[in-house]
Amino acid sequence: MAVAAENQSQPPQNDLPYVLILKPPAAFSIFGDHFFHSPKFQFLKAFESPLPLSQFLLTHAQSVQAILTSASGSVTADTIRLLPHLGLVVTTSQGINHIDCSECRRRGIAVAGAGTIFSTDCADSAVGLLLDVLRKVSAANRYVKQGLWSSQGNYPLGNKLGGKQVGIVGLGSIGTEVAKRLEAFSCSISYNSRSKKPSVPYTFYPNVVELAVHCDALIICCALTDETHHLIGKEVLSALGKDGVIINIARGPIIDEKELVQCLIKREIRGAGLDVFEHEPDVPVELLALDNVVMSPHNAVCTTESLEELRKTVVGNFEAFFSNEPLLTPVPLDDLPHLSGHILQGEVRYSMLQGEEEMMTKSCLLMVVKNPDRSFCLFAS
Amino acid sequence: MADKEPQQPEELPIVLVHRLPSFKIPSDPSFRDQLRSQFHMLDPHESPEPYDSFLARHAPFIRVLMTIGPSPISAEFLERLPVLELIVATSAGLNHIDLPACWSRGIVVTNASLAFAEDVADCAVGLLIDVLRRISAADRFVRGRLWPVKENYPLGFKLGGKRVGIVGLGSIGSEVAKRLLAFGCTIAYTSRNKKQSVSFPFYANVRDLAANSDVLVLCCALTKETYHMINKDVMVALGKDGVIINVGRGSLINEKELVQCLVGGDMGGAGLDVYENEPNVPKELFGLDNVVLSPHCAVMTPESFEALDQLIVINLKAFFSNKPLVSVVSKE
């Protein structure tokens, strides 16, 4: 499908609505550009244009009603502001930390994600990584494949998984699936979450340090937000202790990676299993030489079966949107608790008279207050 | 059970320690203390007396022996111990013991399954997740600094919904089943006999089980009947995406045919803890990313060894006080 000439706005070549893609999602590299194809919409691929992004957006601003993004592609407030007709952002991930949800909420733009498609695969990965670290599966595999079993004898012992106390950070859909699996190994489960969950049989700890004190392993399953950035730092890692293991299948920045690397090198914790890192695809070089770390390239969700589910969900969300039907996996934007009570430095754009086109901008302090009905108010100074 | 004064060894019940010279009693000091304070441990290799005469002299009094690791017990050896009633083995696998000869003499045999079952099951599941989800391969990818080079890594396969066929639904097989159910797998099995109390579908032979499974997990004993039970026919029945996990004994599988299937791409993958000729592993497997190799360590955690020590002491005490034994190996 030919894209409209770059130096002037043109109406779409056919009647199909446009979905903007800023950066190609991983699925394109694995399956090809046609992976999310549908007869009901067409893609506008910014990454195929020679124009700088801002110019590309200005050129096509009027045509774009929806965006397809992935975990590695941010959808910022700046981008959103350039697209007056944007009504939907669909991400191929379960996480939404890379999308400016406050701006979306302000504009009434819907956000849809992968829902819970990936929860079981993530949970399987988390348990697989935990077993691997404790029982040294990858390290022993390397040892045998280097011919060392026959020349150097037995590999050092691993440690039993069963009976371990496992702490889950964030008991959402992924955390719940992890807990269910580990119970079958006779682990005892405890957790920390934003709030205690009354119907859940596991022990709740009000903060992650206390959780770490009482656990042999921590599994990070929570969202990345302002509150959870570097949640796992020196204090938590010390509390976890030198026999402790940490598994991260959530987002790299939840852990203070520099601290983690030091703890691993000095054997202040037993080991780690990591699918995500602070600056993907860069991995701290010190980790590459350690035997007590198991790493994967942010592909905990990447199974053939789940990606097919994802394809149907992404296409289904766009098709529903363009036919004014309910989205398949909408993300509720009301629940942005990390903002409540915060004072923000922000800008207010306003017009002096109703209906007046010219908007003025003023810097001010804003306080975010969450209402009982879970909507938000912003009070401007 | 603290005695006011330590009993003379000669007054304590006798236990023969049966071991190849290179194998030793588990070294944990508290275990050795427990043994020596409650039993008179007779170890021919710790005596200056020649083995045969030592054994012959004590034979009329030996009702129990503890066998260390794979130290073999043949029918001929049993004939030298006319009053033997119990063999306490320290491994789960018993292919080094002539079990039919024991049973025909009415000798009870206990093994380490109860102590080891959970760890072996953990290892089997760990290997399966690794093969299906390519965990070791991904780790190698990252370590090889291939990730920044935009080379996307081959996809793994979902565990949920996989049909898992367990070969040998004993204590280890049951623990494997329990774990894999939590991942959303379905379980079927083959065993010497159908187990009445179990609701999983039963197949009378391993080929039929393979034809109806995506994964086979080998948890059974090595016997004359099970030697090379996993052969090319079974692998073909399992199919091109099929995965085999072996935590039993290497010779359950015809290793040459397994290597051919894996190298030829006729199978989805394999996770192996045991081999036909340990510690030698077919080198053709070293370069295969869909094969995960473990150096016969499925039982090897400090926790399982401690559990084994306790199991041994429990069974020895139970025997001498006429109490029921645990982890008894039966014909069924």
Side-chain angles (χ1 to χ4, degrees):
Chain A
M1 201 135 322
V3 175
E6 299 289 20
N7 57 359
Q8 50 186 288
S9 268
Q10 278 190 359
Q13 299 278 19
N14 52 41
D15 286 338
L16 291 185
Y18 273 120
V19 174
L20 172 68
I21 308 184
L22 300 166
K23 263 178 77 167
F28 276 15
S29 342
I30 302 172
F31 295 106
D33 277 19
H34 52 276
F35 187 62
F36 294 117
H37 171 76
S38 160
K40 302 202 176 138
F41 56 85
Q42 57 182 322
F43 285 118
L44 192 58
K45 296 173 192 168
F47 58 91
E48 281 181 354
S49 165
L51 290 181
L53 180 63
S54 45
Q55 214 178 321
F56 182 90
L57 291 178
L58 281 170
T59 310
H60 296 283
Q62 301 305 318
S63 322
V64 172
Q65 298 182 54
I67 289 180
L68 172 64
T69 187
S70 61
S72 57
S74 298
V75 179
T76 61
D78 286 342
T79 300
I80 294 171
R81 280 175 201 153
L82 291 173
L83 303 168
H85 302 298
L86 182 64
L88 170 66
V89 177
V90 174
T91 177
T92 58
S93 57
Q94 202 153 332
I96 52 166
N97 50 291
H98 54 292
I99 300 171
D100 193 322
C101 290
S102 313
E103 183 68 18
C104 287
R105 187 167 189 279
R106 190 184 73 77
R107 282 270 305 271
I109 297 169
V111 175
T116 54
I117 291 173
F118 295 143
S119 299
T120 52
D121 281 332
C122 276
D124 292 350
S125 266
V127 176
L129 286 170
L130 180 58
L131 266 168
D132 193 324
V133 174
L134 281 175
R135 298 297 302 272
K136 304 181 194 278
V137 178
S138 292
N141 183 41
R142 268 199 297 282
Y143 184 77
V144 174
K145 287 182 177 180
Q146 285 164 12
L148 297 175
W149 188 23
S150 42
S151 58
Q152 288 192 18
N154 281 329
Y155 196 68
L157 298 187
N159 282 86
K160 193 183 179 118
L161 171 58
K164 291 277 182 294
Q165 318 262 13
V166 180
I168 299 185
V169 180
L171 199 67
S173 82
I174 297 176
T176 304
E177 292 289 336
V178 173
K180 181 171 122 194
R181 282 148 180 73
L182 290 177
E183 283 187 299
F185 290 81
S186 305
C187 292
S188 351
I189 310 291
S190 42
Y191 71 104
N192 167 255
S193 229
R194 280 172 299 186
S195 52
K196 189 170 169 32
K197 293 175 196 286
S199 56
V200 141
Y202 315 127
T203 309
F204 172 78
Y205 288 97
N207 64 69
V208 185
V209 175
E210 251 194 270
L211 181 69
V213 166
H214 292 92
C215 289
D216 305 305
L218 281 185
I219 308 202
I220 314 301
C221 303
C222 59
L224 174 62
T225 64
D226 295 333
E227 276 179 345
T228 64
H229 182 267
H230 280 199
L231 178 67
I232 312 297
K234 202 181 168 82
E235 210 190 338
V236 173
L237 293 169
S238 296
L240 188 58
K242 69 173 190 47
D243 289 330
V245 172
I246 188 156
I247 304 297
N248 190 2
I249 44 91
R251 285 286 179 267
I254 296 172
I255 301 184
D256 181 339
E257 202 163 83
K258 278 209 180 68
E259 277 301 332
L260 177 66
V261 171
Q262 287 308 308
C263 281
L264 287 165
I265 292 174
K266 298 182 196 160
R267 305 262 157 185
E268 285 165 10
I269 63 172
R270 193 198 292 282
L274 308 169
D275 184 54
V276 286
F277 304 85
E278 283 211 64
H279 306 288
E280 296 167 16
D282 295 326
V283 171
V285 102
E286 301 91 321
L287 296 183
L288 304 184
L290 294 178
D291 257 359
N292 56 346
V293 181
V294 181
M295 296 169 284
S296 50
H298 198 159
N299 68 352
V301 308
C302 293
T303 63
T304 318
E305 295 89 339
S306 286
L307 291 180
E308 174 54 22
E309 275 303 303
L310 175 70
R311 191 192 63 74
K312 288 193 231 168
T313 302
V314 164
V315 171
N317 271 312
F318 285 125
E319 290 183 352
F321 174 72
F322 291 124
S323 342
N324 286 317
E325 280 163 16
L327 297 174
L328 303 183
T329 51
V331 175
L333 296 181
D334 290 352
D335 192 15
L336 299 172
H338 58 286
L339 293 181
S340 187
H342 276 47
I343 306 280
L344 306 172
Q345 179 72 40
E347 283 184 345
V348 173
R349 293 178 73 212
Y350 60 97
S351 59
M352 290 303 289
L353 295 171
Q354 192 168 0
E356 198 181 277
E357 287 219 0
E358 195 191 329
M359 300 284 271
M360 294 193 272
T361 304
K362 186 182 155 86
S363 267
C364 58
L365 292 177
L366 304 166
M367 184 157 97
V368 182
V369 176
K370 190 171 172 182
N371 296 321
D373 67 357
R374 294 173 54 169
S375 61
F376 278 82
C377 283
L378 286 172
F379 289 86
S381 66
Chain B
M1 184 186 106
D3 296 326
K4 284 277 166 14
E5 29 177 276
Q7 283 179 267
Q8 293 304 311
E10 292 71 28
E11 294 164 1
L12 295 172
I14 289 172
V15 177
L16 175 71
V17 177
H18 176 66
R19 61 183 179 94
L20 292 168
S22 53
F23 287 87
K24 307 254 186 317
I25 298 181
S27 57
D28 179 58
S30 93
F31 174 65
R32 290 189 175 204
D33 286 344
Q34 279 194 290
L35 286 183
R36 292 186 201 284
S37 64
Q38 297 177 68
F39 310 105
H40 182 186
M41 307 301 294
L42 286 179
D43 189 340
H45 295 293
E46 282 183 2
S47 161
E49 192 178 346
Y51 182 90
D52 290 339
S53 76
F54 182 95
L55 196 66
R57 189 159 63 78
H58 288 100
F61 311 104
I62 295 171
R63 297 169 61 209
V64 181
L65 75 79
M66 180 169 91
T67 181
I68 309 298
S71 305
I73 294 181
S74 63
E76 293 71 35
F77 178 76
L78 290 174
E79 278 168 23
R80 300 164 76 172
L81 300 169
V83 301
L84 187 67
E85 296 171 51
L86 170 65
I87 294 175
V88 174
T90 59
S91 58
L94 298 179
N95 46 298
H96 53 288
I97 298 178
D98 189 332
L99 290 174
C102 295
W103 292 327
S104 67
R105 278 267 306 269
I107 296 171
V108 174
V109 183
T110 64
N111 71 352
S113 280
L114 207 60
F116 288 167
E118 292 176 347
D119 281 299
V120 179
D122 289 356
C123 178
V125 174
L127 287 171
L128 179 59
I129 302 179
D130 194 324
V131 173
L132 281 178
R133 298 297 305 276
R134 299 178 167 260
I135 296 182
S136 288
D139 183 67
R140 193 170 75 84
F141 181 81
V142 175
R143 279 171 205 268
R145 305 212 204 186
L146 297 169
W147 189 10
V149 185
K150 290 293 173 237
E151 184 183 317
N152 260 296
Y153 200 72
L155 298 179
F157 295 94
K158 199 181 188 67
L159 259 103
K162 290 287 175 288
R163 301 167 301 166
V164 174
I166 299 186
V167 182
L169 200 66
S171 54
I172 295 174
S174 305
E175 293 288 337
V176 172
K178 180 172 130 198
R179 284 150 177 70
L180 290 179
L181 283 172
F183 288 83
C185 298
T186 60
I187 308 289
Y189 73 105
T190 185
S191 225
R192 278 170 296 191
N193 310 106
K194 186 170 170 25
K195 293 181 193 284
Q196 295 310 323
S197 56
V198 153
S199 57
F200 305 134
F202 170 78
Y203 290 89
N205 65 69
V206 76
R207 208 197 145 283
D208 288 346
L209 180 67
N212 289 282
S213 299
D214 305 304
V215 176
L216 284 183
V217 183
L218 309 184
C219 306
C220 60
L222 177 63
T223 64
K224 279 202 281 277
E225 291 78 31
T226 62
Y227 176 81
H228 279 197
M229 76 187 308
I230 308 298
N231 55 26
K232 195 174 166 87
D233 265 348
V234 173
M235 294 181 227
V236 166
L238 190 59
K240 279 191 84 81
D241 291 331
V243 172
I244 293 185
I245 304 296
N246 190 3
V247 291
R249 283 287 179 269
S251 299
L252 291 170
I253 304 183
N254 181 325
E255 202 166 83
K256 268 212 185 69
E257 289 180 357
L258 177 70
V259 171
Q260 269 169 10
C261 276
L262 286 167
V263 168
D266 295 323
M267 262 181 67
L272 308 171
D273 184 54
V274 285
Y275 312 85
E276 289 213 78
N277 186 22
E278 295 168 17
N280 300 307
V281 176
K283 292 192 170 53
E284 300 93 311
L285 299 180
F286 288 5
L288 299 178
D289 266 353
N290 59 344
V291 176
V292 180
L293 303 174
S294 161
H296 199 159
C297 58
V299 308
M300 297 207 186
T301 63
E303 294 89 341
S304 76
F305 289 150
E306 208 184 295
L308 174 61
D309 292 347
Q310 285 175 28
L311 177 61
I312 292 170
V313 174
I314 284 172
N315 267 336
L316 291 175
K317 282 169 74 164
F319 176 79
F320 288 113
S321 22
N322 289 316
K323 298 240 171 63
L325 301 167
V326 287
S327 207
V328 175
V329 179
S330 60
K331 284 182 235 193
E332 185 237 291

